[in-house]
Amino acid sequence: MNKRVTQAVILAGGLGTRLKPFTNINPKPMYPINNVPFIDYLIRQMKNFGMEEVLLLLGYLPEKIMDYLGDGSRYGLTINYNITPVDYDTGMRIKHAAPQIADTFFLLYCDNYCPINYLKLFSDFCNNKAKIQITVYSNRDNYTKNNLHITDDGLVTTYDKKRIRSNLQGVDIGYALVDKSVISLLPEENCNFEEEVYPQLVAQNKLFATMTEHQYYSVGSFERIKFTEEFFKPKRVVFLDRDGTINKRPARACYIEKPEDFVWLAGAIEAINILKKNGFLVIIITNQPGIARGNLTEEMLHCIHEKMRADLLKERTEIDDIFYCPHNWDDGCFCRKPNPGMIFEAQKKYSLNLSECYLIGDDERDIAAGEAAGCICRMVDEKYTVLDVAKEIVSLEKKEKIHDYFKDTP
């Protein structure tokens, strides 16, 4: 199956009791995040993923969602609705809507948002010949409780909705590509879709997972909402590699071992200054295996970075943060580039949408890490410098602002 999926089905019918008193008179998807209903962000994401239709499965106070979204024309897609009683669980809602559901559809919850790599999800779905390909948050940071066990090739071997089994890894966050035939696995009585269908597909080796390291955001509880609000605040971010990108790279197998070894490349300070003046967060992401190899201590690395910050301060600019990997080449850590661990660490700290962040580096490992994290990547060299890229990024951002202004102007 390689046919493009054009329909998203959003489960949005629950009472949302954890959001009382808001949900006493409003459905959960209408919770305002920075003055915009959460459902609005999801619909726009579906448009960006290439969906042509969104089918909303509603139950509680459906008219409030319908009045806000309308027919979807202002989003550039079609929105249809299927309304069922409030006490219907997700399985019954999907079964009731079956006549409106496409042969293959994109299923998601109304209270989770994650900037997933949709093209990879679709590719995995096709390659695995899966009945359902779910998106799974790795949960390395124990953000929530795990509910799955997954093999290295993505096959789901355990689904535990109650999250009580041992040795679970990762949590299902929705964003699932679904073969409509699985609806036939649902019983006639009221039931939960995942609890009923997923174990059956596990037994058939037909449930697969695409892993994401990107933290997901939610309006499922007030505790999560503060992070969600921060995530959706507009941010402009550039990740910079250090050695070879902003300062002279030492000889092979050598390291910057003391502050005086740190020598700026021409135009690098100006590049940082341009980015900062135009409202960007600038974050350094650097491998420092010299620490593990005994060439320098972490204390000396901090001294080097203090020298770097002092130089920038003299030019009335600054770096916002620095993430470094102290491990050796063969330590197998997740943070050493080309692995994207440092980028995801920054993502969580600053509630970033990595699909909107830039990464600039001079090495293939930098670009591999950025691409693994979903960033917009630029590789520099002697002819195409960090200053060139900084100017281009600022120019592109200004053009985008102008475009958005005229697009939103009546």
Side-chain angles (χ1 to χ4, degrees):
M1 202 295 292
N2 291 298
K3 187 178 179 182
R4 190 166 71 90
V5 176
T6 59
Q7 183 194 56
V9 177
I10 302 180
L11 290 160
L15 291 169
T17 54
R18 287 186 293 173
L19 290 191
K20 287 179 175 291
F22 174 81
T23 50
N24 286 337
I25 57 172
N26 297 284
K28 179 170 59 174
M30 291 300 292
Y31 192 91
I33 300 295
N34 304 328
N35 299 316
V36 177
F38 185 76
I39 191 67
D40 191 281
Y41 296 102
L42 282 176
I43 300 297
R44 294 182 188 280
Q45 186 182 40
M46 294 307 98
K47 173 63 177 177
N48 290 337
F49 285 168
M51 299 297 140
E52 296 174 2
E53 179 204 353
V54 173
L55 174 62
L56 278 151
L57 308 189
L58 305 180
Y60 181 58
L61 300 176
E63 66 283 349
K64 293 208 171 184
I65 295 174
M66 296 169 71
D67 288 346
Y68 178 78
L69 295 177
D71 63 2
S73 56
R74 67 190 173 102
Y75 299 97
L77 45 68
T78 299
I79 297 180
N80 291 313
Y81 304 92
N82 186 279
I83 303 170
T84 47
V86 173
D87 61 353
Y88 272 24
D89 207 335
T90 53
M92 280 293 279
R93 292 196 198 284
I94 290 172
K95 195 175 182 75
H96 184 272
Q100 293 175 265
I101 293 178
D103 290 343
T104 306
F105 61 99
F106 190 34
L107 179 67
L108 57 154
Y109 310 129
C110 69
D111 56 359
N112 281 352
Y113 187 103
C114 186
I116 67 165
N117 184 340
Y118 175 76
L119 293 179
K120 184 177 191 314
L121 181 73
F122 180 75
S123 175
D124 290 347
F125 177 66
C126 296
N127 292 336
N128 292 328
K129 296 181 171 58
K131 287 295 184 181
I132 299 182
Q133 185 83 31
I134 59 176
T135 299
V136 172
Y137 178 55
S138 68
N139 204 32
R140 292 175 189 265
D141 56 350
N142 295 312
Y143 184 62
T144 187
K145 289 184 178 180
N146 296 314
N147 67 354
L148 301 160
H149 185 270
I150 305 162
T151 64
D152 290 341
D153 60 359
L155 179 67
V156 179
T157 56
T158 302
Y159 173 75
D160 180 11
K161 186 170 178 62
K162 295 181 180 178
R163 309 186 186 201
I164 56 177
R165 297 188 194 181
S166 59
N167 301 318
L168 297 174
Q169 60 178 77
V171 60
D172 166 35
I173 62 170
Y175 288 97
L177 285 168
V178 182
D179 186 316
K180 183 181 180 178
S181 65
V182 303
I183 297 177
S184 66
L185 301 177
L186 293 167
E188 292 302 320
E189 62 267 18
N190 200 7
C191 66
N192 179 274
F193 178 76
E194 297 93 333
E195 191 171 21
E196 191 66 40
V197 172
Y198 286 11
Q200 295 185 63
L201 295 184
V202 167
Q204 298 173 19
N205 292 332
K206 289 295 184 180
L207 182 65
F208 287 82
T210 298
M211 195 73 74
T212 181
E213 298 287 342
H214 202 300
Q215 195 167 78
Y216 68 99
Y217 295 86
S218 173
V219 291
S221 68
F222 286 112
E223 180 185 14
R224 295 279 175 85
I225 281 173
K226 61 182 180 181
F227 298 109
T228 304
E229 288 174 337
E230 183 60 33
F231 172 76
F232 280 112
K233 289 178 181 176
K235 300 182 187 74
R236 291 181 288 177
V237 181
V238 173
F239 293 110
L240 290 176
D241 169 54
R242 202 190 77 173
D243 302 342
T245 299
I246 63 170
N247 62 287
K248 291 184 179 180
R249 176 185 285 279
R252 187 176 179 82
C254 295
Y255 307 96
I256 306 295
E257 298 179 9
K258 50 188 183 297
E260 51 266 37
D261 292 343
F262 185 93
V263 179
W264 290 94
L265 288 171
I269 292 178
E270 184 182 353
I272 293 169
N273 200 7
I274 287 172
L275 292 170
K276 290 301 301 175
K277 283 183 175 179
N278 283 277
F280 284 84
L281 280 173
V282 178
I283 300 172
I284 299 291
I285 303 287
T286 177
N287 290 344
Q288 291 298 321
I291 294 172
R293 296 174 66 84
N295 293 74
L296 74 158
T297 64
E298 292 197 59
E299 290 75 17
M300 182 55 71
L301 179 65
H302 291 313
C303 290
I304 293 166
H305 288 160
E306 283 306 308
K307 187 264 185 188
M308 180 181 73
R309 290 181 184 278
D311 290 345
L312 292 170
L313 194 59
K314 290 176 185 176
E315 301 299 325
R316 297 183 179 181
T317 193
E318 62 182 345
I319 291 288
D320 292 282
D321 211 339
I322 301 169
F323 293 81
Y324 64 90
C325 170
H327 304 113
N328 208 346
W329 306 318
D330 55 358
D331 281 352
C333 67
F334 186 58
C335 51
R336 178 174 169 78
K337 294 178 289 184
N339 291 324
M342 289 184 283
I343 302 173
F344 284 114
E345 186 181 351
Q347 187 277 313
K348 293 173 178 67
K349 181 175 179 178
Y350 292 99
S351 297
L352 305 176
N353 183 339
L354 291 179
S355 67
E356 298 176 352
C357 298
Y358 293 89
L359 180 138
I360 306 172
D362 74 315
D363 190 284
E364 290 179 358
R365 289 169 296 185
D366 303 322
I367 305 305
E371 289 178 344
C375 298
I376 305 162
C377 299
R378 298 288 185 270
M379 189 165 176
V380 298
D381 54 30
E382 292 181 358
K383 294 182 179 179
Y384 183 57
T385 70
V386 66
L387 179 58
D388 295 326
V389 179
K391 289 178 178 178
E392 284 182 16
I393 289 173
V394 168
S395 177
L396 284 170
E397 291 288 316
K398 287 180 178 177
K399 287 179 182 177
E400 190 65 29
K401 271 188 174 181
I402 293 170
H403 175 266
D404 288 344
Y405 172 80
F406 283 108
K407 182 178 69 175
D408 296 335
T409 300

